[in-house]
Amino acid sequence: MTTQDIGVSTDDLPANAQPSGRRPNSRVYEVGIGLAVVLLGAAVYVMTNRIDVAREGQSFGPRWWPTALAVSMVVIGMILIVQAVISRIVSDEPPITKSGTFALAATLALIAVYGIAWQYFDFRVVTVVLLAGLTAISGGRGIKALAVFPVITTVILWAIFGLLLQVPL
Amino acid sequence: MGDIRSALAGTAVNAVTEGLSALLDPSIGVCLLVGVLLGTLVGAVPGITAAMAVALAAGFTLTLEPLQGLSVLLSIYVAAQFGDRVPSILINTPGTPASIATTFDGFPMAKQGRAGIALTSSALVSAVGSVVGICILIFAAQPIASIALRFGPAEMFALVVFGMTMMIGVSGGRVVKGLFAGILGLLLGTVGRDPITGDGRFTFGLNELSSGIPFIAAIVGLFGIAEVFNQMISRHPTIVPAPITQLGKWWPNRAERRELVKPALIGSGVGAVVGVVPAAGGDIAGIVSWDQARRASKTPEKFGKGSLEGLAAADTASTATMGGSLTTTLALGVPGDAVMAVMIGSMVIWGLQPGPALFVDSPDLVYSLAAIMLLATFAALALALVRMRGVIKLLDLPQKYLWAVIITFCMVGTYAVQNSAFDVGLMLVFGLLGLALRRNGFPAGPLVLGLILGPLAESNIRRAFLIDGAASIYTSGIAVALLVLSALAVLGPYIRTGLKKGSRRGAGERADA
């Protein structure tokens, strides 16, 4: 669980204190989240009105349901803003680290390259490279991590999907 | 009258005897074993659903005798429901949509070092749910099927409203953010062709989106990939997390076994009811049951944080739907779920026409199928318990290997569903969306529920209103009953809290006096 709707009274907390294992989020940040929800709802509302329909003026037509959802989103966004102002939202997610951000960015870049390479090269070859790359990003070093593990995993993948399930990889 | 009754009883006994004796052929046993092995395997691989595996196997089984072929298909169906729990519990990735609710408490249990208990309990209650579903098929197929036939747009709309009330339950104390996630899910459910007019909506000119958001890509991204990304983004290069292991204790003790009883009963009931409703499957049943068990629990605060009750309720319900789905399929000729749609196709090719006539023309086949499902359940349970220790060793894998394996399997598994690279890209987008939601306190459960219920909700609400306005809803007994239940589900906790406060205040005043 990440956050709770149940606000923690600031009176109950000494200065700089935090609920056990949780970090209070800044009010500005939480208001920003609420604002983002309102803007998303508004954007959906605009996009809904641009849906091309074959027959205009139908009751309960294709625009009706998404419009109702967009309005609900705006209302919920406003409630989130109010909630952010009057109560204190806490989070128990571990903080983001610099090395973690780099690892995630590198992983996404590697997956993108893999997706392109898969169109041109054999699945088995590019998958071995992908697995070696992902292991290296996660801190794997040496022959076992960068060669043996990727080859064995690729063979298992190929056996399950390519041979057993006949998926055209 | 007595003669007629004894004649009918005699006919039923004959049907049972014939149905069971047909299974004495050793080839049936071989087919059953092959099906169980395949089902367990495909269930454990995220992205490959039971429907997909059954569809693939259907091609190979058409050359077999009907009973042999049905043994393979039904065994895959049953065993996949056991196999799909494994990735849900160990890596927070549902093996099939039916095990979405397993992730709610299964993965937190694994993180607490209780993966063994989770896997064993899950296998045991899944077997209970399956047996309950089969009993329904044997004893209550026709009466239940006749009720399910009365579900029109108004009743389906009420059922969907009841399902939507679960969004609050699966929000884990973050009701407003949970509701937003649910609405976002409903909105994503509108992508594609309009269910009534066929107009394209929110497809941005992409043909791949014309039939809607690919569901497997969405759930694999939101759960599995988002979990890996979240671990990755918060990793500390100098701190190596201790591996989760549960090799010492994997069989639940007496207290834990006792804890499983109540949620298993709730799950069986929910699964049985949801299973017979066409188009509602194990995914919906699992979530609904999890929420009902939470409401009935003495410790609802533990749900979503590693509750054995939550795990048991979800898993019992999703397997209990199998018997209900087969009931609807055989009694009405209407596929109870995607797997049954494939099964109907195979049955028709074999010259078997599912529908009310099947119970008159070949009642022995119904008992044969029930017995096959029962045998497959016990075989899958045995296999699940035998390989338990080996499976838990997966958790011993160093994180550097585990992340790579999960990401690669999720990508290839998602690709395999429709042989579509677009789906893989979309899965990654959902992975990033899941990460963004999670980091900002939005639960993924309601979003998935919205995605499942969205198309059903919209089409039935609009049909009900177009047919007869609001009157079509309040003139239907089933719809009114479901709407009342929905209102109670939402208002129940507040009413209970109010009553508790009132009784406390009364006691305090008496004490002062």
Side-chain angles (χ1 to χ4, degrees):
Chain A
M1 298 293 130
T2 313
T3 61
Q4 300 281 341
D5 281 345
I6 305 137
V8 180
S9 165
T10 46
D11 301 339
D12 301 338
L13 293 165
N16 306 323
Q18 291 176 14
S20 57
R22 292 183 174 185
R23 296 170 297 109
N25 292 346
S26 85
R27 281 202 170 91
V28 174
Y29 182 77
E30 285 295 330
V31 167
I33 290 173
L35 204 58
V37 170
V38 170
L39 290 173
L40 180 66
V44 170
Y45 185 84
V46 171
M47 283 162 64
T48 299
N49 286 324
R50 289 182 185 168
I51 292 172
D52 286 327
V53 291
R55 203 158 51 85
E56 290 287 352
Q58 310 170 64
S59 53
F60 307 109
R63 291 180 188 144
W64 175 74
W65 179 248
T67 303
L69 295 176
V71 172
S72 306
M73 263 189 192
V74 172
V75 171
I76 284 180
M78 287 172 175
I79 294 170
L80 282 172
I81 292 169
V82 172
Q83 216 173 44
V85 172
I86 64 170
S87 65
R88 196 162 159 187
I89 311 287
V90 289
S91 169
D92 56 5
E93 285 293 341
I96 294 170
T97 63
K98 256 186 195 168
S99 69
T101 309
F102 170 77
L104 181 61
T107 299
L108 290 170
L110 186 63
I111 289 169
V113 171
Y114 171 74
I116 295 162
W118 192 354
Q119 315 291 320
Y120 301 101
F121 301 102
D122 186 85
F123 165 81
R124 286 158 291 190
V125 175
V126 291
T127 304
V128 167
V129 176
L130 170 79
L131 281 159
L134 289 173
T135 313
I137 290 166
S138 310
R141 299 289 179 268
I143 294 288
K144 196 172 110 179
L146 301 179
V148 178
F149 163 74
V151 168
I152 290 173
T153 310
T154 303
V155 167
I156 293 169
L157 275 165
W158 176 252
I160 292 172
F161 291 97
L163 300 176
L164 190 69
L165 295 170
Q166 302 284 306
V167 175
L169 294 169
Chain B
M1 198 70 179
D3 290 345
I4 294 169
R5 271 206 201 100
S6 59
L8 283 172
T11 310
V13 170
N14 283 344
V16 173
T17 313
E18 283 174 32
L20 296 179
S21 62
L23 302 183
L24 295 174
D25 183 352
S27 65
I28 301 287
V30 174
C31 290
L32 201 133
L33 208 61
V34 168
V36 166
L37 288 168
L38 280 174
T40 304
L41 179 69
V42 300
V45 178
I48 307 177
T49 62
M52 188 181 159
V54 168
L56 282 163
F60 299 109
T61 54
L62 289 178
T63 53
L64 300 172
E65 289 296 310
L67 208 53
Q68 293 172 340
L70 285 167
S71 296
V72 175
L73 302 184
L74 276 174
S75 304
I76 290 173
Y77 182 40
V78 171
Q81 296 263 19
F82 283 79
D84 66 356
R85 283 25 174 179
V86 176
S88 291
I89 291 166
L90 298 186
I91 56 173
N92 199 32
T93 308
T96 72
S99 64
I100 287 170
T102 309
T103 60
F104 297 173
D105 282 298
F107 186 62
M109 281 181 77
K111 284 206 290 191
Q112 291 162 11
R114 298 160 68 208
I117 297 285
L119 287 162
T120 311
S121 305
S122 169
L124 291 171
V125 296
S126 294
V128 169
S130 182
V131 170
V132 168
I134 294 160
C135 289
I136 284 160
L137 168 66
I138 296 168
F139 299 110
Q142 281 172 302
I144 286 178
S146 66
I147 294 168
L149 258 184
R150 288 160 57 186
F151 268 64
E155 290 77 14
M156 281 304 288
F157 157 67
L159 185 72
V160 167
V161 168
F162 182 64
M164 282 186 194
T165 63
M166 303 303 144
M167 281 181 185
I168 295 166
V170 297
S171 296
R174 295 159 292 166
V175 177
V176 183
K177 286 188 173 181
L179 282 175
F180 165 74
I183 288 167
L184 185 63
L186 291 171
L187 188 70
L188 289 168
T190 65
V191 172
R193 298 244 158 250
D194 179 274
I196 293 172
T197 64
D199 293 304
R201 296 182 301 182
F202 308 123
T203 57
F204 306 104
L206 297 165
N207 285 334
E208 289 89 346
L209 289 178
S210 61
S211 53
I213 299 262
F215 187 58
I216 301 297
I219 62 165
V220 170
L222 284 169
F223 287 93
I225 296 292
E227 176 63 36
V228 173
F229 284 177
N230 193 45
Q231 286 181 20
M232 221 178 240
I233 206 166
S234 55
R235 78 168 190 169
H236 225 286
T238 52
I239 301 168
V240 180
I244 308 164
T245 52
Q246 179 51 287
L247 297 173
K249 186 174 181 283
W250 60 279
W251 190 260
N253 60 30
R254 186 183 288 184
E256 284 161 338
R257 285 201 298 275
R258 208 176 296 136
E259 206 180 331
L260 297 173
V261 175
K262 190 171 145 189
L265 287 171
I266 292 169
S268 298
V270 170
V273 172
V274 173
V276 293
V277 178
D283 43 6
I284 295 174
I287 296 170
V288 170
S289 174
W290 183 89
D291 190 66
Q292 292 304 310
R294 187 182 59 84
R295 290 172 200 276
S297 173
K298 287 175 183 167
T299 53
E301 71 282 354
K302 287 185 181 173
F303 276 62
K305 295 170 188 163
S307 163
L308 197 56
E309 287 181 80
L311 178 86
D315 285 353
T316 315
S318 61
T319 45
T321 57
M322 290 190 293
S325 287
L326 193 58
T327 298
T328 311
T329 306
L330 296 180
L332 305 177
V334 175
D337 59 20
V339 176
M340 289 300 141
V342 177
M343 287 261 298
I344 284 181
S346 296
M347 286 174 86
V348 168
I349 290 168
W350 281 313
L352 304 165
Q353 186 59 55
L358 189 76
F359 287 79
V360 179
D361 299 338
S362 38
D364 54 318
L365 179 74
V366 177
Y367 293 108
S368 291
L369 296 183
I372 287 167
M373 276 183 85
L374 207 56
L375 290 170
T377 297
F378 292 126
L381 174 65
L383 189 66
L385 294 176
V386 163
R387 61 175 171 74
M388 202 63 72
R389 287 169 191 268
V391 160
I392 295 165
K393 283 198 170 156
L394 273 177
L395 292 169
D396 282 334
L397 263 182
Q399 213 164 38
K400 62 185 178 232
Y401 296 138
L402 201 58
W403 287 348
V405 167
I406 293 168
I407 290 171
T408 314
F409 263 84
C410 286
M411 285 201 307
V412 179
T414 304
Y415 174 81
V417 176
Q418 299 186 95
N419 303 334
S420 162
F422 177 84
D423 284 11
V424 180
L426 200 67
M427 179 204 72
L428 292 165
V429 169
F430 270 98
L432 290 169
L433 174 68
L435 177 69
L437 289 171
R438 188 177 169 156
R439 301 292 320 182
N440 293 299
F442 294 94
L447 193 150
V448 173
L449 193 59
L451 201 57
I452 296 169
L453 294 175
L456 270 175
E458 183 186 7
S459 57
N460 285 294
I461 288 170
R462 283 168 60 190
R463 278 197 192 102
F465 282 133
L466 286 168
I467 290 166
D468 198 12
S472 62
I473 292 157
Y474 64 73
T475 53
S476 159
I478 297 172
V480 169
L482 281 167
L483 290 172
V484 168
L485 278 175
S486 305
L488 286 173
V490 174
L491 301 172
Y494 297 103
I495 294 166
R496 265 204 305 271
T497 309
L499 287 172
K500 271 183 190 169
K501 273 183 183 169
S503 64
R504 265 198 226 112
R505 203 177 298 126
E509 281 166 6
R510 277 196 298 276
D512 292 341

